[in-house]
Amino acid sequence: MATTTIAPATASTYRGGLYEWLTTTDHKKIGIMYVISSFIFFLIGGLLALGVRTELAQPGLQFVSNEGIYNQLFTMHATVMIFLFVIPMLAGFGNYVVPLMLGAPDMAFPRINALSLWLLPLGGILLLSSFLLGGGAQAGWTSYPPLSEDRPLASTGYGQDLWIVSLILIGTSSILGSINFLVTIFKMRAPGMTLFRMPILVWTVLVTSVLVLMATPVITSALIMLFIDRNYGGHFFDPATGGSAVLYQNIFWFYSHPAVYVMVLPAMGMISEILPVFSRKPLFGYKAFIFATAGIGALGFSVWAHHMFTTGAVFLPFFSLMTFLIAVPTGVKFFNWIATMWRGQLTFSTPMIFALGFLTMFLIGGINGAFSASVPVDFALHDTYWVVAHLHYVLFGGSVMGVFAGLYYWFPKMFGRMLDETLGKVQFIIMFIGLNLTFFPMHMVGLAGMPRRIADYANSGWTDLNLLATIGGFTIAASMLPFIWNVFVSLRSGKIAGDNPWEANTLEWATSSPPPPYNFDHLPEIRSERPLFDLRHGKTGH
Amino acid sequence: MTADSHALTTTGHGPVATAGHGPATAGHESRGGISNPILGMLLFITSEVMFFAGLFGAYFSTRAAHSPWPPDKFAGTLNPIGLILIATIILVMSSVTCQLAVNAIRRGDRTAFMRNIAVTFILGIVFLIMQMYDYSVLFGEGLTMDAGPFGTTYYTLTGFHGAHVFGGVIMLGVVLYRGTAGQFSARHHDAVEAASLYWHFVDVVWIILFSVLYLLP
C-alpha cells in the first residue's frame, strides 16, 4: 500500500457552509447533492407506493376515498421514482465518479452542471405542488391521450399540466447533463487515459448520455404537443378532434424505451466496477462488455413499439425480433460478470452482496421481459400485473440494488468514513426478502388476469397474493431504516476509510477521501484500465 | 451556453501529472481537436435536431391521416410567394453575414466582425417581426391554433422555430455585447463559433420547414 500514497496531503474539503453548497460548481458536491435529493424523492415515491399497496391489500376501497386519489398515487409514484429518483440518482453517481475516474479536475461545464442539479428540485416541487392545487396527475406515468387530455372524464385541472411542465424541466436537466458528460469524457481525460482504458462505468455513462441526448428531446416534443392540446386548443392527440392517440404513444415510447436503458446501464457499470474489486480479478472481457453496452444502446432505439403491440398499429415481427435481440448483448454481460467471479478470491462485503443481488434479481427481470417480447404472450399479458412484476424486477431488483451497491462502495470516498458492514447486511437481507415478497406474487396475479392501475378488485383468488405483496412493500420500507441509521451513525463515527479501502484499481481511489477541490495533486501513469493495480505491482501491467 | 464558454476558454498548459489545485481547466483544455464549448454546442444541436424530429414526425403523421391537405378551407392560405419568401431570403442572408463575421474574427479583423454580427442580429430581429406580422395575417384569414390539425401543426412547428430564432438572437446579442467589450480575438472566439453554429442550424431548420409547409404538394 505504501507505494500508492500519491493522494494530496490535505484532505478535508467539506467545511463550506450552506452558502458554499448552494452555489458550488464542484462536481463532487453537486454529485452528492444529486444523490441526497434523489434519495429524498425515493422516500417520497416509496410512501406513495405504500399508499397503493395499502389500498390493494384487500378488495374494496378502504384506504383511499375514491379511485381518483388512487390514480394520483400510482401516477405520482411512478413519475417520482423514474424521473426524480432513478435517473438523477445514477446521474449523481456519474457526476461524482466520472471526472475522478478520468483523472479530470471537474466536469467540462461546471456551471451548467449546477444548473442541471438545481432544475431537479424545481421540477420535483412543481410536480408535488399539484397535490395542493386540486390533485396530481391521474393518467399514469405514460399519460396517454385521450386520458391525459383536458376534457370531462379525462384530466381536467392543473395536475396534468404541472406534470408536463415538471417533466420538461427534468428532461432539460438530463439533456444538459448528458452534454456535460459527453464533453467531459471526450475532452477531459488525463494523459494516457485512452477510450479503451476508461473504467466500464464511464463507458456506460457515455452510452447512457448518448441515449439521453437523442431520446429526451423527443419526449420533450411530445409533452409540448400534449400541453398545446390541453391549453391552446391543439389537435395533435385527441381522436375526437382529429388527432391521433397512437402518435403520442409512438413519440412517448421512442423516448421511454431508451430511458429504460438510461435507468439500468449506469447501474450495470457500477456492478462492473464492484464485482472485479471483490473478486480480485480484472473484469472478464473488457472490450466485449463495452461493445455489448453500445449494442444495447443502439438496439434500444429500435424496440419502442413493443409497448404498443396491442394497438394493432405497429409492425409486430420487427419489434418482437429486435426486442429478443436485446437479450444477446445482455447475455454477454452476464457471462462477463460470472466469468469475472469465476475462481476469484471473493469477499462478501456489502457492496458485493448488493451487486450479487443485482445479478440475480435483474436476471429474473430479464427473463420475464423476454416472455413479454413474444407477441402472442404479450397480447395475454399486456396491462396485467405481470408487466408490473417485470418492470419492478428490472428497476428495483436491478437499478435500486445497483444504487445501494454504489452507495456502500463510494460512500467512503465521498465522506471519508466506511458505512457499517453489519447494518448493511441487515438492510440487504430485509430488502431482498421484501422485494421478492412484493414483486414475485405480482407474476401470479398477473397471469391470473389482474389488470394494473385498478383500485379495487372482486376476484377473491387475488386477495392473498395481494396481501403478500403489501406485506412485502412494508418490508422494503422497513429496510430503509437500517440504511438511514447507518448513514447517520457512520458519518459521525464510522471507521476512517483511507484513500483506498477496497484496494480498487480505478483512479478515484488514488486521491484522498474525500478528494480535495480539483481532485488530484498527482496522477499515476495510466497504461491500462487498472492504473492503481499497475502502481501497486510495478511496471508489469499489460 | 455562451457565458460558460467564456469561462472555459482558458488555455492551460503543462502536464496533469504535476497540476496543482489550479483552475478546473488546467492541462486539459488545449489538447488538440475541437474545443469544449464547440463540442458542447454541437451536442446541443444534436438534441435540438431530435426535438424537431419529434415535431416533424408528428406533422407528417398528422398530414398522412388527413385528406385533403391542406383542408379545402385553407387551400392556398400558405402561399410561398410573398412575405414569407422575403423572410426566408432574409434568414438565409443572415446566415451568410454570420459566417462572414466568423471568418473575420478568425482573421482577427474585429471591425468587419462587429459589422457583420450587428447585421446578423438585426436580420434575425427583422425575421421575427415579419413572422409575427405573417401570423396576424393568417389569423385574419381564420387559420388559428385550434382551427383543426392543419392550424395546430403549422403554429407549433413555425412557433417553435421562431422561439429558436429568438434564442439565437439572444446569443448573437451576447456575442455583440461582448464584442463591444473587445473580448474576442483570432485566438479566443469560441463563443462566436458556437453562436454561429447554432444560427446556421436555426437557418437550416427554417429551410426544411419552408419546403415542407409551403412547397411540398
Side-chain angles (χ1 to χ4, degrees), chain A residues 96-139:
Chain A
Y96 191 92
V97 179
V98 164
L100 284 166
M101 284 183 153
L102 295 176
D106 206 313
M107 297 281 278
F109 307 110
R111 286 192 280 174
I112 290 180
N113 202 23
L115 176 64
S116 297
L117 166 71
W118 290 107
L119 281 173
L120 290 171
L122 184 64
I125 289 167
L126 268 182
L127 182 74
L128 295 173
S129 68
S130 59
F131 281 124
L132 306 173
L133 297 169
Q138 298 191 25

Side-chain angles (χ1 to χ4, degrees), chain A residues 105 187-189 235 242 521, chain B residues 19 21 24 28 31 34 66 146:
Chain A
K187 296 289 297 178
M188 304 280 284
R189 302 192 307 279
H235 298 255
D521 272 352
Chain B
H21 297 181
H28 291 260
R31 283 193 301 124
I34 191 168
H66 291 85
D146 52 3

Side-chain angles (χ1 to χ4, degrees), chain A residues 488-507:
Chain A
F488 279 106
V489 169
S490 301
L491 278 177
R492 291 173 67 89
S493 57
K495 205 174 91 189
I496 300 293
D499 298 341
N500 191 357
W502 312 116
E503 271 199 65
N505 299 313
T506 42
L507 280 181

Side-chain angles (χ1 to χ4, degrees), chain A residues 272-327:
Chain A
S272 309
E273 298 302 325
I274 291 166
L275 287 175
V277 167
F278 295 96
S279 306
R280 313 307 311 155
K281 280 176 65 189
L283 183 78
F284 183 88
Y286 170 85
K287 282 196 178 172
F289 196 98
I290 290 168
F291 292 134
T293 305
I296 291 179
L299 285 171
F301 276 108
S302 60
V303 297
W304 78 88
H306 68 215
H307 300 269
M308 304 162 54
F309 282 162
T310 56
T311 59
V314 297
F315 187 54
L316 300 174
F318 173 80
F319 287 107
S320 180
L321 174 68
M322 297 313 269
T323 306
F324 278 119
L325 277 183
I326 296 247

Side-chain angles (χ1 to χ4, degrees), chain A residues 109, chain B residues 34-43 189-191 193-194 197:
Chain A
F109 307 110
Chain B
I34 191 168
S35 79
N36 287 9
I38 292 175
L39 179 58
M41 177 54 83
L42 286 173
L43 292 169
H189 59 271
D190 277 335
E193 301 266 0
L197 283 171

Side-chain angles (χ1 to χ4, degrees), chain B residues 96-120:
Chain B
V96 174
T97 56
C98 190
Q99 193 57 40
L100 288 176
V102 172
N103 292 349
I105 197 66
R106 280 180 188 159
R107 291 193 309 270
D109 183 350
R110 289 192 196 178
T111 318
F113 159 70
M114 285 301 287
R115 193 191 316 125
N116 281 305
I117 272 294
V119 171
T120 313

Side-chain angles (χ1 to χ4, degrees), chain A residues 318-372:
Chain A
F318 173 80
F319 287 107
S320 180
L321 174 68
M322 297 313 269
T323 306
F324 278 119
L325 277 183
I326 296 247
V328 176
T330 313
V332 169
K333 291 187 174 199
F334 267 91
F335 277 113
N336 290 142
W337 289 323
I338 292 168
T340 300
M341 290 184 290
W342 186 256
R343 295 191 170 173
Q345 292 175 35
L346 304 185
T347 44
F348 294 97
S349 304
T350 313
M352 178 67 163
I353 293 178
F354 275 99
L356 294 173
F358 174 100
L359 284 194
T360 50
M361 294 299 99
F362 186 81
L363 184 64
I364 296 178
I367 290 173
N368 61 21
F371 273 85
S372 317

